[in-house]
Amino acid sequence: MVGLHLTLNSANYRINRILDELVELERVSDLGLIRISKLDLLEQFGRGCLVLMGGTQVRVEDANHSSRVHKGIESLPADMQRSIMRKYGYVSSCIKNLGRPPICIKEKVLPIISMVAKQLNDPVPPSFISVYRWWKKYYDCNNDILSFMDKRPGKSGCRAFNDIVLNEVTMLINEVYLTENRPSKSDVYRLFHHRMNELNAMRVKPLRYPSKSHFYRLVGDINKYEEMAAREGKQQADTYFRTVGAGPKVRHVLERVEVDHTELDVISVNPNTGEAEGRPTLTVIIDVYSRLVLGIYIGFEPPSQLSVMRALRQAILPKLMSDSVYNDVTNKWESFGIPTTLICDNGLEFHSDALQRLCGELGVNLQFCPKKTPHYKGVVERFIGTLNTEVCQKLPGATFSNVKQRGDYDSVEKSCLSLEEIRNLIYRWMIDIYHQRVHSTTKRSPAMLWQEGAQKFEPMLPESLHKLNLSLTLETTRTLSHKGIEIFNQFYSAPILREMRERRKHNYEVTVRYDEENIGSIWVYDDLHGDFICIPSINPDYAGGLSLRQHKYIRKNLVDKGLGEQNEKATLAHRAKLFEAIEVLKSAKLLKERRKGARLSQPEQNDSLSLSNAAPIAEVEVNTDPEVFELLPEFDIDKLEEL
């Protein structure tokens, strides 16, 4: 039909002429003309590339998909639909008998009105001029049936009020309601009411202003995103109104791995004293493709690079089901391999030089989520929530997710499970239940999806266990001298260091790596051969198996008591007394001190998860004179609060 508007491949056209089998289209934007066959137009319509329009333009945001479709009369109330079809009955009969263009000839239109009134059983037929207006509007709108919709009589919305009133409403909404103080609608309306009383007191003819319900509707018309952004902050509004999509497309296992920390919703107790130690920390690494957990750390180490490295080491290495931590587990935990991309938040531990160096050596792409956007790593966030809900909150001593949910439940008093028992229960739930059941998103069990994915994409392992352990250490520089290497007030030496010193005339700095969980040995970089050499401590009886945290605690007490820092015999004695002090801490009244004692204990994970598997260190004789132990002062437990 000539004059009809249409959209073809996102461009708006108007039918200019119809020539046999060709249609001449006029482009609305630049009035350019194109000719296309009717068959091609029908084909384009079948593909969804052609949209026919009435009197209004259709918004098309994509060349292949129309994102918005105008509503039809079926979306209108039933009484409005009947009114539209009544008008259409009169107009369509006029077009059928008199042609499409409207004709303002009363003698020709009145017989048609009478005929249609009898067909529709219309007791009150419309007048000639009403039918003509309907007909003309329908013609002007290119046969759009929605042109028959009735217009509501009278003024609508804000047009019923004076501009002075509308300015007051706008001012109060912008300057009072849309503020961070978040006043209620009733508070703002009271101010508005008071302001209108002041204005009307100065006028001869009072101004009409909206009622309370009408004012509420005006406030309700505000864009909800802008309202939340002004009252609660843009970050909160962005999070609330975010668009949830399918997320990044993951094609194989280990392509995208997410990591996060949390405190478990349960309090553990010391197995010896029965006193509560606090809430353990969980660090978890999960594979997005299969939803399989790759590695976890459960202990009292706060979120740090050490807890991340413990979990990452377990994620990369094959799981030895013969370890004691898996004694009660039935199924196998078959995950292993170096991840391609590690997704983490903006915690300081993830920005550490050690973690970034580790990822560089292993070929892992480290990606950070934007700040305050936990949904960017929603897979691990959801797993943590599921773990706390299905396991921790069902254990004695549960803290629940919030104070309201906990109620009068005394979590400290009810706690009775040790850290080892909590860890074993979590492993059993994770491996025997979570990994084996069907995941709600993938519709597959994580264990089976991992097995299938690992056959298509073979996981990669590091060059050797020694290479991985070396990558998981921390790095610094120290001076190589005739004494060897001094770090943390401990000396490390071996014959190979003399050979390195002979290459240069003076002492020089070397790269040193150390393991926070075992300071019994360090690794020194040999720039001639391009590799690291394991150098043992000259005092292995003290340093072997000792963590850096424990060593700093001992050194602090030595300094406080005024003993020489190089008194090796006193240091050995203090190490023996350290464990006595730990037991005292675990029995202390304050939960904070008991938690501190748990952190000072030996590493919570099983031995296979230790970062250090160094070669045996040569024994060094140490003269442990009993007189030295008699001279040592007792531990000052009050000083532990400063640690």
Side-chain angles (χ1 to χ4, degrees):
M1 184 178 298
V2 175
L4 179 67
H5 286 263
L6 55 88
T7 299
L8 178 61
N9 295 327
S10 301
N12 293 327
Y13 294 90
R14 186 180 67 85
I15 298 179
N16 192 40
R17 286 191 301 173
I18 300 178
L19 307 170
D20 295 331
E21 295 299 322
L22 293 178
V23 178
E24 185 179 85
L25 302 178
E26 181 183 66
R27 194 162 41 245
V28 176
S29 60
D30 57 2
L31 302 182
L33 298 177
I34 65 170
R35 291 186 178 183
I36 188 171
S37 68
K38 293 181 180 179
L39 185 61
D40 289 340
L41 286 176
L42 292 174
E43 184 178 349
Q44 294 294 336
F45 184 83
R47 293 178 178 177
C49 300
L50 173 65
V51 179
L52 301 176
M53 297 178 289
T56 57
Q57 299 290 323
V58 176
R59 177 179 175 182
V60 179
E61 297 183 358
D62 188 273
N64 298 320
H65 300 88
S66 177
S67 62
R68 293 177 181 266
V69 179
H70 283 294
K71 65 180 182 180
I73 63 172
E74 68 278 356
S75 62
L76 300 176
D79 56 342
M80 189 173 293
Q81 291 185 35
R82 288 192 294 269
S83 175
I84 291 175
M85 295 307 299
R86 172 177 174 267
K87 295 177 182 179
Y88 177 73
Y90 285 100
V91 172
S92 61
S93 295
C94 290
I95 294 174
K96 182 179 180 181
N97 292 276
L98 302 177
R100 183 171 178 270
I103 297 177
C104 189
I105 302 176
K106 187 175 182 180
E107 291 75 10
K108 292 185 177 182
V109 175
L110 283 178
I112 299 175
I113 294 177
S114 301
M115 179 186 66
V116 175
K118 293 180 181 179
Q119 294 176 354
L120 299 178
N121 294 323
D122 189 355
V124 185
S127 64
F128 155 72
I129 196 64
S130 295
V131 173
Y132 175 75
R133 285 198 301 266
W134 299 342
W135 190 358
K136 187 176 185 304
K137 188 175 181 181
Y138 183 68
Y139 177 81
D140 293 339
C141 292
N142 290 323
N143 300 343
D144 185 0
I145 195 172
L146 294 179
S147 63
F148 294 126
M149 290 179 61
D150 291 327
K151 178 184 176 183
R152 293 183 180 180
K155 294 184 178 180
S156 61
C158 295
R159 291 180 296 171
F161 303 104
N162 189 286
D163 289 342
I164 298 176
V165 177
L166 299 181
N167 291 338
E168 290 294 329
V169 172
T170 303
M171 184 271 295
L172 287 174
I173 289 177
N174 292 333
E175 298 183 6
V176 179
Y177 181 74
L178 296 179
T179 61
E180 295 179 351
N181 295 329
R182 306 181 193 178
S184 64
K185 294 179 183 178
S186 60
D187 292 335
V188 180
Y189 181 76
R190 291 189 189 100
L191 291 176
F192 172 70
H193 194 183
H194 173 69
R195 178 60 181 160
M196 294 309 303
N197 289 338
E198 288 182 338
L199 292 175
N200 286 333
M202 297 183 292
R203 297 176 62 90
V204 176
K205 184 179 180 180
L207 293 169
R208 291 180 62 251
Y209 56 89
S211 64
K212 188 173 185 180
S213 59
H214 193 165
F215 184 86
Y216 280 16
R217 288 197 298 271
L218 295 177
V219 176
D221 290 338
I222 301 173
N223 181 275
K224 300 306 177 185
Y225 172 83
E226 296 177 358
E227 179 180 350
M228 180 174 288
R231 291 168 63 88
E232 303 180 32
K234 185 177 183 301
Q235 182 67 45
Q236 181 68 18
D238 289 340
T239 302
Y240 185 83
F241 289 101
R242 69 184 185 274
T243 301
V244 179
K249 186 69 174 179
V250 184
R251 295 165 296 179
H252 54 77
V253 296
L254 298 176
E255 180 181 2
R256 181 182 175 93
V257 172
E258 297 178 358
V259 58
D260 201 10
H261 307 282
T262 190
E263 279 192 331
L264 294 175
D265 291 345
V266 65
I267 294 177
S268 68
V269 300
N270 184 278
N272 298 322
T273 65
E275 298 289 342
E277 292 178 321
R279 296 170 60 184
T281 298
L282 169 72
T283 300
V284 59
I285 300 177
I286 192 169
D287 176 52
V288 175
Y289 177 84
S290 63
R291 301 302 199 267
L292 190 84
V293 178
L294 304 177
I296 61 173
Y297 162 76
I298 305 172
F300 288 103
E301 179 70 27
S304 62
Q305 59 186 9
L306 180 58
S307 59
V308 175
M309 288 182 174
R310 283 173 173 171
L312 192 56
R313 185 180 192 274
Q314 188 188 51
I316 294 174
L317 291 178
K319 314 304 184 286
L320 302 178
M321 303 308 292
S322 58
D323 292 339
S324 59
V325 72
Y326 308 121
N327 283 345
D328 298 325
V329 175
T330 303
N331 294 278
K332 293 183 179 181
W333 190 7
E334 298 182 341
S335 68
F336 67 91
I338 301 174
T340 303
T341 302
L342 182 64
I343 308 298
C344 56
D345 55 31
N346 280 274
L348 293 178
E349 65 275 11
F350 297 116
H351 284 279
S352 66
D353 293 338
L355 182 59
Q356 297 192 35
R357 174 184 54 78
L358 167 65
C359 292
E361 292 181 0
L362 296 177
V364 178
N365 180 25
L366 188 61
Q367 289 188 5
F368 299 97
C369 299
K371 294 182 179 179
K372 299 181 180 179
T373 54
H375 55 278
Y376 273 66
K377 48 182 180 60
V379 174
V380 68
E381 296 281 356
R382 181 178 180 182
F383 171 80
I384 290 174
T386 303
L387 170 61
N388 274 323
T389 301
E390 296 190 10
V391 182
C392 298
Q393 294 181 12
K394 291 180 172 56
L395 300 177
T399 59
F400 301 96
S401 58
N402 54 66
V403 176
K404 182 178 180 180
Q405 188 178 5
R406 183 165 63 246
D408 296 332
Y409 185 81
D410 191 339
S411 302
V412 175
E413 185 67 26
K414 299 292 185 180
S415 59
C416 62
L417 297 176
S418 66
L419 177 63
E420 188 66 26
E421 292 171 330
I422 294 174
R423 184 185 294 124
N424 288 339
L425 289 173
I426 290 177
Y427 273 118
R428 289 176 60 185
W429 172 84
M430 181 183 71
I431 301 174
D432 288 338
I433 299 177
Y434 174 78
H435 284 177
Q436 309 305 321
R437 70 187 181 191
V438 175
H439 195 277
S440 60
T441 301
T442 63
K443 309 304 179 185
R444 300 280 304 278
S445 67
M448 295 304 297
L449 197 55
W450 169 270
Q451 292 179 9
E452 181 181 297
Q455 293 177 357
K456 299 177 181 178
F457 180 84
E458 188 68 28
M460 301 295 293
L461 285 171
E463 178 183 328
S464 64
L465 180 59
H466 176 75
K467 178 70 173 179
L468 177 62
N469 290 334
L470 185 61
S471 299
L472 291 167
T473 55
L474 304 182
E475 187 172 286
T476 185
T477 57
R478 285 295 185 271
T479 300
L480 174 59
S481 67
H482 65 284
K483 297 180 181 180
I485 302 291
E486 181 182 4
I487 183 172
F488 308 124
N489 301 108
Q490 290 292 305
F491 286 91
Y492 299 81
S493 185
I496 188 64
L497 294 182
R498 178 176 177 177
E499 298 178 12
M500 294 177 61
R501 287 185 62 239
E502 291 175 352
R503 300 172 193 166
R504 301 189 185 184
K505 184 177 180 181
H506 303 288
N507 298 340
Y508 64 98
E509 287 192 345
V510 293
T511 301
V512 176
R513 291 190 180 183
Y514 61 92
D515 183 354
E516 285 188 297
E517 292 188 278
N518 185 358
I519 62 171
S521 60
I522 61 174
W523 288 265
V524 178
Y525 182 70
D526 185 353
D527 54 359
L528 178 62
H529 298 90
D531 58 359
F532 282 88
I533 307 168
C534 184
I535 307 298
S537 170
I538 65 172
N539 192 1
D541 289 348
Y542 167 76
L546 191 70
S547 70
L548 181 59
R549 185 187 299 275
Q550 295 169 336
H551 170 66
K552 288 182 177 181
Y553 174 81
I554 293 173
R555 299 304 306 178
K556 182 178 184 298
N557 278 273
L558 285 173
V559 173
D560 290 344
K561 296 301 181 179
L563 298 177
E565 294 186 356
Q566 298 301 322
N567 191 333
E568 297 175 355
K569 296 180 180 180
T571 303
L572 283 172
H574 268 277
R575 181 183 180 184
K577 288 185 174 290
L578 165 69
F579 298 101
E580 297 179 9
I582 291 175
E583 295 303 320
V584 174
L585 273 175
K586 292 180 178 179
S587 303
K589 294 182 179 180
L590 295 179
L591 179 60
K592 180 180 179 181
E593 294 182 357
R594 296 199 296 272
R595 181 181 177 88
K596 201 173 295 180
R599 288 168 57 186
L600 283 170
S601 299
Q602 290 294 93
E604 297 86 350
Q605 303 272 47
N606 55 307
D607 294 338
S608 65
L609 299 184
S610 174
L611 298 185
S612 180
N613 283 323
I617 302 173
E619 296 186 0
V620 177
E621 292 187 4
V622 178
N623 183 14
T624 55
D625 191 346
E627 293 181 0
V628 176
F629 290 88
E630 296 175 0
L631 294 175
L632 284 173
E634 294 294 327
F635 263 90
D636 187 0
I637 301 303
D638 296 335
K639 294 293 184 179
L640 297 177
E641 186 64 28
E642 302 175 5
L643 184 60

mmCIF file of all heavy atoms in Angstrom, residues 258-274:
data_model
loop_
_atom_site.group_PDB
_atom_site.id
_atom_site.type_symbol
_atom_site.label_atom_id
_atom_site.label_comp_id
_atom_site.label_asym_id
_atom_site.label_seq_id
_atom_site.Cartn_x
_atom_site.Cartn_y
_atom_site.Cartn_z
ATOM 1 N N GLU A 258 37.985 -19.658 40.067
ATOM 2 C CA GLU A 258 37.695 -18.554 40.980
ATOM 3 C C GLU A 258 38.151 -18.908 42.391
ATOM 4 O O GLU A 258 38.062 -20.069 42.816
ATOM 5 C CB GLU A 258 36.199 -18.232 40.979
ATOM 6 C CG GLU A 258 35.698 -17.760 39.629
ATOM 7 C CD GLU A 258 34.213 -17.488 39.593
ATOM 8 O OE1 GLU A 258 33.542 -17.707 40.637
ATOM 9 O OE2 GLU A 258 33.703 -17.062 38.535
ATOM 10 N N VAL A 259 38.620 -17.891 43.137
ATOM 11 C CA VAL A 259 39.126 -18.096 44.497
ATOM 12 C C VAL A 259 38.538 -17.028 45.405
ATOM 13 O O VAL A 259 38.319 -15.884 44.985
ATOM 14 C CB VAL A 259 40.672 -18.041 44.524
ATOM 15 C CG1 VAL A 259 41.183 -16.714 43.992
ATOM 16 C CG2 VAL A 259 41.211 -18.294 45.938
ATOM 17 N N ASP A 260 38.274 -17.402 46.650
ATOM 18 C CA ASP A 260 37.753 -16.442 47.626
ATOM 19 C C ASP A 260 37.965 -16.971 49.039
ATOM 20 O O ASP A 260 38.228 -18.169 49.233
ATOM 21 C CB ASP A 260 36.267 -16.175 47.382
ATOM 22 C CG ASP A 260 35.816 -14.860 48.004
ATOM 23 O OD1 ASP A 260 36.691 -14.085 48.449
ATOM 24 O OD2 ASP A 260 34.605 -14.589 48.047
ATOM 25 N N HIS A 261 37.846 -16.045 50.023
ATOM 26 C CA HIS A 261 37.985 -16.386 51.430
ATOM 27 C C HIS A 261 36.654 -16.152 52.144
ATOM 28 O O HIS A 261 35.818 -15.384 51.692
ATOM 29 C CB HIS A 261 39.018 -15.499 52.132
ATOM 30 C CG HIS A 261 40.355 -15.443 51.468
ATOM 31 N ND1 HIS A 261 41.288 -16.437 51.584
ATOM 32 C CD2 HIS A 261 40.927 -14.494 50.696
ATOM 33 C CE1 HIS A 261 42.373 -16.098 50.912
ATOM 34 N NE2 HIS A 261 42.174 -14.926 50.360
ATOM 35 N N THR A 262 36.514 -16.773 53.299
ATOM 36 C CA THR A 262 35.406 -16.462 54.202
ATOM 37 C C THR A 262 35.693 -17.095 55.557
ATOM 38 O O THR A 262 36.528 -18.007 55.671
ATOM 39 C CB THR A 262 34.064 -16.983 53.663
ATOM 40 O OG1 THR A 262 32.999 -16.451 54.457
ATOM 41 C CG2 THR A 262 34.005 -18.509 53.730
ATOM 42 N N GLU A 263 35.014 -16.599 56.581
ATOM 43 C CA GLU A 263 35.031 -17.264 57.885
ATOM 44 C C GLU A 263 33.848 -18.218 57.941
ATOM 45 O O GLU A 263 32.717 -17.832 57.611
ATOM 46 C CB GLU A 263 34.945 -16.240 59.017
ATOM 47 C CG GLU A 263 36.264 -15.569 59.353
ATOM 48 C CD GLU A 263 36.196 -14.792 60.654
ATOM 49 O OE1 GLU A 263 35.093 -14.308 61.002
ATOM 50 O OE2 GLU A 263 37.224 -14.686 61.335
ATOM 51 N N LEU A 264 34.097 -19.459 58.346
ATOM 52 C CA LEU A 264 33.029 -20.442 58.418
ATOM 53 C C LEU A 264 32.043 -20.076 59.519
ATOM 54 O O LEU A 264 32.417 -19.495 60.546
ATOM 55 C CB LEU A 264 33.622 -21.830 58.685
ATOM 56 C CG LEU A 264 34.500 -22.407 57.572
ATOM 57 C CD1 LEU A 264 35.112 -23.731 58.019
ATOM 58 C CD2 LEU A 264 33.709 -22.602 56.290
ATOM 59 N N ASP A 265 30.782 -20.437 59.311
ATOM 60 C CA ASP A 265 29.725 -20.125 60.276
ATOM 61 C C ASP A 265 29.673 -21.165 61.396
ATOM 62 O O ASP A 265 28.610 -21.712 61.720
ATOM 63 C CB ASP A 265 28.372 -20.055 59.569
ATOM 64 C CG ASP A 265 28.268 -18.852 58.659
ATOM 65 O OD1 ASP A 265 29.106 -17.945 58.787
ATOM 66 O OD2 ASP A 265 27.352 -18.823 57.813
ATOM 67 N N VAL A 266 30.822 -21.449 62.002
ATOM 68 C CA VAL A 266 30.879 -22.402 63.102
ATOM 69 C C VAL A 266 32.130 -22.112 63.927
ATOM 70 O O VAL A 266 33.135 -21.621 63.398
ATOM 71 C CB VAL A 266 30.893 -23.858 62.580
ATOM 72 C CG1 VAL A 266 32.158 -24.141 61.779
ATOM 73 C CG2 VAL A 266 30.725 -24.860 63.713
ATOM 74 N N ILE A 267 32.057 -22.380 65.219
ATOM 75 C CA ILE A 267 33.182 -22.166 66.133
ATOM 76 C C ILE A 267 33.771 -23.527 66.502
ATOM 77 O O ILE A 267 33.043 -24.457 66.861
ATOM 78 C CB ILE A 267 32.732 -21.416 67.395
ATOM 79 C CG1 ILE A 267 32.295 -19.991 67.016
ATOM 80 C CG2 ILE A 267 33.841 -21.363 68.438
ATOM 81 C CD1 ILE A 267 31.764 -19.191 68.180
ATOM 82 N N SER A 268 35.093 -23.633 66.400
ATOM 83 C CA SER A 268 35.779 -24.875 66.756
ATOM 84 C C SER A 268 36.320 -24.770 68.179
ATOM 85 O O SER A 268 36.477 -23.677 68.729
ATOM 86 C CB SER A 268 36.927 -25.161 65.784
ATOM 87 O OG SER A 268 37.965 -24.208 65.954
ATOM 88 N N VAL A 269 36.612 -25.929 68.778
ATOM 89 C CA VAL A 269 37.145 -25.970 70.136
ATOM 90 C C VAL A 269 38.495 -26.674 70.122
ATOM 91 O O VAL A 269 38.815 -27.445 69.211
ATOM 92 C CB VAL A 269 36.177 -26.698 71.097
ATOM 93 C CG1 VAL A 269 34.832 -26.001 71.150
ATOM 94 C CG2 VAL A 269 36.001 -28.158 70.689
ATOM 95 N N ASN A 270 39.299 -26.412 71.137
ATOM 96 C CA ASN A 270 40.571 -27.097 71.302
ATOM 97 C C ASN A 270 40.318 -28.516 71.782
ATOM 98 O O ASN A 270 39.609 -28.714 72.772
ATOM 99 C CB ASN A 270 41.439 -26.329 72.296
ATOM 100 C CG ASN A 270 42.810 -26.945 72.442
ATOM 101 O OD1 ASN A 270 42.974 -27.912 73.178
ATOM 102 N ND2 ASN A 270 43.779 -26.386 71.761
ATOM 103 N N PRO A 271 40.861 -29.524 71.117
ATOM 104 C CA PRO A 271 40.560 -30.909 71.505
ATOM 105 C C PRO A 271 41.099 -31.274 72.882
ATOM 106 O O PRO A 271 40.609 -32.231 73.490
ATOM 107 C CB PRO A 271 41.226 -31.736 70.395
ATOM 108 C CG PRO A 271 42.283 -30.849 69.836
ATOM 109 C CD PRO A 271 41.766 -29.451 69.955
ATOM 110 N N ASN A 272 42.103 -30.551 73.365
ATOM 111 C CA ASN A 272 42.692 -30.878 74.666
ATOM 112 C C ASN A 272 41.994 -30.166 75.820
ATOM 113 O O ASN A 272 41.710 -30.766 76.850
ATOM 114 C CB ASN A 272 44.175 -30.520 74.664
ATOM 115 C CG ASN A 272 44.949 -31.314 73.622
ATOM 116 O OD1 ASN A 272 44.675 -32.494 73.401
ATOM 117 N ND2 ASN A 272 45.910 -30.671 72.973
ATOM 118 N N THR A 273 41.714 -28.874 75.637
ATOM 119 C CA THR A 273 41.113 -28.095 76.727
ATOM 120 C C THR A 273 39.599 -28.011 76.628
ATOM 121 O O THR A 273 38.930 -27.721 77.617
ATOM 122 C CB THR A 273 41.690 -26.680 76.738
ATOM 123 O OG1 THR A 273 41.304 -26.009 75.530
ATOM 124 C CG2 THR A 273 43.210 -26.719 76.832
ATOM 125 N N GLY A 274 39.042 -28.218 75.429
ATOM 126 C CA GLY A 274 37.604 -28.090 75.252
ATOM 127 C C GLY A 274 37.130 -26.656 75.148
ATOM 128 O O GLY A 274 35.927 -26.406 75.060
#
